[in-house]
Every structure is written in C-alpha cells, then in structure tokens.
Amino acid sequence: MGKVAVTTAVVGAAMACAVAALVVRHRMRSSGRCARAAALLKELEERCATPLGKLRQVADAMMVEMHAGLASEGGSKLKMLISYVDKLPTGDETGLFYALDLGGTNFRVLRVQLGGKEHRVVKKEPKEVSIPPHLMVGGSDELFDFIASALAEFVASEGEDFHIPVGRQRELGFTFSFPVRQTSIASGTLIKWTKGFNIEGTVGEDVVAELTRAIERQCLDMRVSALVNDTIGTLAGARYYDNDVIVGVILGTGTNAAYVERAHAIPKWHGLLPKSGEMVINMEWGNFRSSHLPTTDYDQTLDTESLNPGEQIFEKLISGMYLGEILRNVLLRLANEAALFGDSVPPKLETPFILRTPVMSAMHHDNSPDLKVVGTKLKELFGGMITFIPNTSLKTRKVVVQACDIIAKRGARLAAAGIVGILKKIGRDSAAKDGGDTPRTVVAIDGGLYEHYNIFSECLRSTVKEMLGEEASASVVIKLANDGSSIGAALLAASHSQYLDVGES
Ligand code: BGC
C-alpha cells in the first residue's frame, strides 16, 4: 500500500471514529435527556395523583369547611356567603329584563323577554364584549364606564320586538363574579378581586352603587334589581327549567359553587332567617385549601408569581385561568432540564400566561397519529422570527400530551371531589335506605372550561360516579347549563322587580 493510501485510510478511519463517537455521544445525550424527561413526568404524575382515598379526604375536608364557614364569619377559608336569594325562579316571571355578566376576560349583556310559565323565554338577545386587558388592572371608573357605555349602546340598538311598558324603568340583573358580601339582593361590597383583576379603590365598596353611577353617567334610565354571583345565576337559570337543580358550579376562567341550604343549617344567620326557609349560599370554593390537596413545586411557583399569592388555592389547581400556566411551568422545566425543545429554551416559554388553557385543550385532544396539532401549536406558541422552534419530535409531542393529561385530570378529579363534598353536606351523596325513593339531584355547571375541554368534563363526571358508587350516582345528574348565569340574573331581577307589587312585572 502506498504512503498516500495509508494516510487516506488512517484519516478515513479517524473520521469514522469521530463520527461514531459523536453519534454515540448524541445518543447518550438524547437518551439521558429522555430519561430526565421521563423522570420529571413520573414525579409530576406522582405528586398530582388523586386516588379515590385522597379524593374522599378532599370531599370530607370540603364538607368540614362548609360547616365552619356557615357557623361563623371568618370561620373558614370558605366564605359561605349569603346571597339573599331565598326564592328561585318558578317560571311565572314575565316582562323584559336585562343582564350584565362580568367576571372574566369578556362580559356579556343580554335582554330577555319572559312570557310566564307557558311561553318561558320568548326572545333573548345576548352580546359579548371583550375587556381590554389594561382595564382589568386600572381604575374603577374606567372599567365601569366602559361596561355602562356598552350597555347603553346595547339598549340603543333595541328592536321593536322587545317591549318595555310606558313609564317603566328598565331593570337589570348584575352577575358580578367575584367574592361579594351582600347587604341585600341588590347591594353588596367587594371582598377581593380574583382571576387577574385588580382595580384600585374598589375593595370594600358597593359594586351596585359603582355600576349605578356609571349607568347614570351614560344618562341611561336603568335600575339594578339583583346582584348575583355567576354560580347563583347558573343555579337560578337552570332551576327555571328543572326543579331538581340544587347546586350551581362554574368551571371557567375561575371556579366556584353555590347551593341551596336549609336556613336552620346557617348558624351565623340564626334569628335573621325564617327557620323553615332556604337560602342560596355562594361558597367561594376557589379559596378552599387543605393539606389533602395534591400540589407540586409548579403550583407553588404559580402561586408565588400570581397577583394574589396564598389565595384561591383550589382555583389555581382547577380553573381555566391557571391550567395552561401550570403546563407552561412544567414545559419550562422540561426544556431547561431535559432539553425538551432542543439545546436552547424557547424564550417565549418564559412568558407567564402565554400558554392558554384552550391551546392546552387543543393539544390534549389531538388524536392524529403524529400529534400534528401539538406540533403546530408548539410552533405557533414558542416559535418566532429569531428563535425558531424546530419541528418537534413525536417523543416530545407525546411528553407534552402526557403533561396535559396529568394536569387536566388532577383538576377535574378535584372539582368532582368538591361537588361530592357539597352533596355530602346536604345529604344527597347516598341512595335512600330501605328501598325508599332517592330524590333526584341536579348539579348545573357553566363555564368555558367545562363546556369545551371534553376530557376534563368527562373525567369530572366519571369521577363523581366513581366516588358515589353506581347506586347513589344514578339519581345525581350533572348537566351543562350553558349561559345560565346571565339568564339567571335576568330571572332574579324579574323576581325582585320593583313593579312586582303593582301587578305584572
Ligand atoms: C370568584 C367567584 C366566581 C368564580 C367563577 C372566582 O374567582 O371568586 O366569585 O364565582 O371565580 O367565575
């Protein structure tokens, strides 16, 4: 063999060795990354686990806190607020009423013509307006003026088929989906903001007075006849069609529940309520917390970085505002410690709240064999002109879906445990003894998370069944009460109309 040939062979062999070493190192590195990703996922799964025993503990803790919150003011993390709704809609309501529904990134206005038992909702017209983000953390006049002006515009656009009798004032049910200490059916002071709202100078103020002033500034002749939480609106709206509805739950941007309580079971109101009566209670369950709740470092980070650290802990594990953000925190750690998206971490992944729950839901529901939707969403989310997120591997996409599954199912199962806690409190968690009739119990749920995130809602329903058992769950119905909270507020405005004692409302 000539000198040149020898040199060529040696160089060739060296190059082959170097390439082989690179391949081996790459394989080792990528198998190391895979192992790290698997370990992080496993840890997440373990920390988020909600076996039946744990769910029962959560349901029991919810029930105990309900008792404590009803016993005394400040007796529990659950505020158990009196709503002043002691009569739910019957179907007899008639006339034209309005609703204004404020509680998330959008608000809704609605007019509804009620035709009594026979005709029910004759006609309704909703309109949705999105709230510019700066108004969610600005001044109170700016927010209320924005809302009142949309309301005035809505009234101005009214067609002739909606009819307000001459000489009568328009009446509005105001769904205000934040914790409020009510002082009557149509007044109440704000306890605190939640869900990313933080308006200066409003805590402790009467929200109806603020809205009324803004309505007057618009020269609109309209009276707020009922102030309700969205859970109360949902309960009332669903009860209008079904007499067995006794619980209303919201699973949307935020989460909460309301239910019908017997007056004698509300010690903090003894003497003030007729003992035989009922009262709808706004639990404010978003603020529930318990040592039994399965939480992780990701939840801790989310809470610390939130606008309301230490508060709304249950809400932060369950609701639409936070599920996507928990996922982002998980993916960020996977990107940092297991190079989930390659050697560098996509900078956008570090932006709080960039990954919204609807996107998480779309990825979680991706049934395509190559998880195409996941790939596209990740690219849309984290890609950019400068930082480019390469086509993600199927392995990476699978990891993302697994993380979605763990986070969403923990939320759904905890929400189910909360519902079972309420059913236990009111004695509707078991079948009647001695072959008697078990009363039908309907739980009405509204909110975008429940309505659109199917894996979440299916998991919630099946968990309630799992917790109650076949027999008891046969008489518990969980149903979607779409848009119930606005209709419910209009119905409560009707049943508390100023014109009730002068004949037809
Ligand atoms: C609020 C509740 C509300 C729930 C659902 C929570 O953040 O505190 O008042 O019912 O969100 O909108």
Side-chain angles (χ1 to χ4, degrees):
M1 204 187 282
K3 215 173 173 181
V4 175
V6 171
T7 314
T8 312
V10 170
V11 171
M15 273 174 68
C17 282
V19 170
L22 266 177
V23 169
V24 169
R25 206 173 320 143
H26 177 76
R27 283 209 183 124
M28 276 173 60
R29 228 174 46 191
S30 86
S31 78
R33 288 166 173 177
C34 284
R36 182 73 191 127
L40 285 174
L41 266 187
K42 187 160 177 281
E43 185 194 41
L44 177 70
E45 194 163 20
E46 283 166 5
R47 301 291 295 272
C48 291
T50 50
L52 202 52
K54 187 172 263 301
L55 291 182
R56 290 203 198 293
Q57 288 171 322
V58 171
D60 287 344
M62 181 68 80
M63 185 179 62
V64 168
E65 291 300 318
M66 289 172 79
H67 278 284
L70 289 173
S72 62
E73 217 50 74
S76 162
K77 285 272 171 199
L78 293 185
K79 294 240 158 10
M80 305 301 284
L81 301 164
I82 310 288
S83 68
Y84 284 86
V85 174
D86 52 3
K87 284 188 304 294
L88 284 158
T90 57
D92 289 330
E93 299 77 8
T94 58
L96 171 58
F97 291 90
Y98 297 80
L100 168 64
D101 198 332
L102 171 69
T105 43
N106 291 333
F107 71 89
R108 246 172 291 164
V109 283
L110 171 83
R111 56 183 145 244
V112 54
Q113 187 82 46
L114 303 169
K117 271 230 164 62
E118 208 166 306
H119 303 290
R120 297 279 163 161
V121 173
V122 180
K123 205 168 168 27
K124 69 172 181 182
E125 209 170 274
K127 186 178 173 201
E128 193 142 327
V129 183
S130 63
I131 305 178
H134 70 275
L135 291 185
M136 292 165 64
V137 288
S140 127
D141 283 359
E142 283 85 343
L143 176 68
F144 281 100
D145 281 343
F146 180 77
I147 292 167
S149 90
L151 191 59
E153 233 174 73
F154 183 65
V155 169
S157 72
E158 198 155 286
E160 301 216 327
D161 38 354
F162 285 95
H163 167 72
I164 193 97
V166 183
R168 288 204 174 178
Q169 203 179 14
R170 290 188 162 79
E171 290 186 277
L172 173 83
F174 181 22
T175 309
F176 183 70
S177 310
F178 300 94
V180 163
R181 182 157 289 113
Q182 301 237 179
T183 40
S184 75
I185 181 67
S187 60
T189 55
L190 175 66
I191 298 174
K192 64 179 184 187
W193 289 102
T194 56
K195 296 177 285 197
F197 276 77
N198 195 7
I199 312 284
E200 230 175 88
T202 36
V203 171
E205 295 298 317
D206 186 324
V207 286
V208 172
E210 301 219 22
L211 176 62
T212 304
R213 283 196 292 273
I215 288 177
E216 281 165 6
R217 287 197 286 272
Q218 296 293 326
C219 301
L220 183 62
D221 187 20
M222 185 179 262
R223 173 182 192 262
V224 181
S225 294
L227 168 68
V228 296
N229 186 262
D230 48 356
T231 50
I232 313 273
T234 298
L235 177 48
R239 172 67 80 92
Y240 183 63
Y241 295 106
D242 184 338
N243 246 327
D244 295 329
V245 176
I246 48 175
V247 181
V249 175
I250 299 288
L251 287 160
T253 308
T255 183
N256 189 10
Y259 73 105
V260 182
E261 182 58 278
R262 293 142 298 183
H264 69 81
I266 314 177
K268 67 182 175 189
W269 268 58
H270 270 173
L272 295 166
L273 295 174
K275 278 207 167 33
S276 57
E278 291 184 326
M279 174 60 73
V280 180
I281 301 289
N282 166 14
M283 292 175 59
E284 286 296 331
W285 87 1
N287 203 38
F288 171 71
R289 68 187 308 165
S290 154
S291 57
H292 299 302
L293 290 175
T295 53
T296 63
D297 292 349
Y298 307 106
D299 304 305
Q300 187 60 51
T301 308
L302 181 148
D303 181 44
T304 314
E305 290 171 358
S306 71
L307 278 178
N308 50 356
E311 290 176 9
Q312 300 294 103
I313 297 300
F314 199 49
E315 178 161 276
K316 286 172 182 163
L317 296 174
I318 290 180
S319 81
M321 171 143 182
Y322 302 104
L323 292 184
E325 178 64 1
I326 303 173
L327 177 65
R328 183 190 69 83
N329 277 322
V330 171
L331 296 187
L332 182 59
R333 177 136 180 231
L334 281 161
N336 272 317
E337 294 183 23
L340 187 68
F341 301 112
D343 285 332
S344 55
V345 175
K348 284 190 185 169
L349 187 52
E350 316 220 20
T351 311
F353 292 97
I354 198 172
L355 203 172
R356 295 177 51 247
T357 304
V359 173
M360 168 179 174
S361 167
M363 296 196 289
H364 197 178
H365 288 97
D366 185 359
N367 287 325
S368 62
D370 56 347
L371 297 176
K372 203 163 151 227
V373 178
V374 179
T376 313
K377 291 288 175 199
L378 290 173
K379 214 170 202 170
E380 282 169 12
L381 267 175
F382 305 131
M385 298 292 276
I386 303 167
T387 52
F388 178 70
I389 171 164
N391 282 331
T392 40
S393 69
L394 187 55
K395 256 190 204 151
T396 294
R397 298 176 191 188
K398 281 186 175 163
V399 167
V400 173
V401 174
Q402 246 177 298
C404 293
D405 200 59
I406 297 169
I407 296 162
K409 288 189 175 155
R410 175 185 65 166
R413 285 174 71 78
L414 290 177
I419 292 173
V420 171
I422 300 175
L423 297 180
K424 281 185 109 164
K425 165 74 184 68
I426 55 179
R428 296 289 186 103
D429 62 318
S430 49
K433 307 256 165 348
D434 312 324
D437 281 344
T438 309
R440 185 168 165 270
T441 300
V442 182
V443 178
I445 308 187
D446 195 6
L449 176 64
Y450 186 78
E451 186 180 355
H452 303 298
Y453 203 142
N454 295 339
I455 297 177
F456 183 99
S457 40
E458 271 158 30
C459 175
L460 181 150
R461 285 190 298 271
S462 65
T463 308
V464 169
K465 206 164 179 182
E466 181 186 343
M467 291 186 74
L468 294 178
E470 281 295 327
E471 204 191 351
S473 64
S475 54
V476 174
V477 181
I478 296 188
K479 70 175 177 195
L480 176 69
N482 205 346
D483 257 0
S485 65
S486 314
I487 287 268
L491 287 164
L492 290 168
S495 55
H496 293 86
S497 161
Q498 60 186 317
Y499 301 114
L500 269 190
D501 38 6
V502 288
E504 179 222 7
S505 62

